Amino acid sequence: DESKRSFKEIISTYEAMSAKNAAPVILNMKDDDAVKILSSIKPATLASILEKMPPADAAKYTGMITAEEGGDR
C-alpha cells in the first residue's frame, strides 16, 4: 500500500511539473522507471513531455509504452 501511494504521489508530481522540466529528468532515468511513469500519467501530460524530448527518445519511449500496454492484454 505504501509503495502504491508513493508511486501515485510521484505521478502527481510529474503531472504538476512543466513538460520542459519533466522531460530531461525522465531522460536520465532507467528505461523501466521512465516507462512506468510515462505509462501512468495523463495522455495530455504525456504528449507535452514527449514533445520536449528529442524525437529519437520520444519514439523509443512511445514504442516501449506501446509494447508494455500490449503485454498487459
Side-chain angles (χ1 to χ4, degrees):
D1 265 359
E2 185 66 31
S3 65
K4 280 187 179 183
R5 184 171 17 164
S6 59
F7 182 70
K8 284 183 180 181
E9 289 171 2
I10 290 169
I11 297 306
S12 296
T13 301
Y14 276 93
E15 289 176 342
M17 288 173 73
S18 72
K20 180 181 177 183
N21 291 329
V25 175
I26 290 171
L27 288 171
N28 282 293
M29 292 180 177
K30 293 182 199 168
D31 285 346
D32 290 348
D33 294 336
V35 169
K36 186 175 178 183
I37 290 170
L38 291 171
S39 63
S40 299
I41 58 179
K42 296 174 187 166
T45 305
L46 174 62
S48 297
I49 291 172
L50 291 175
E51 285 176 352
K52 297 295 181 187
M53 290 183 177
D57 290 314
K60 174 182 81 169
Y61 286 125
T62 300
M64 293 173 82
I65 292 166
T66 303
E68 182 176 279
E69 289 180 358
D72 287 345
R73 292 179 183 159

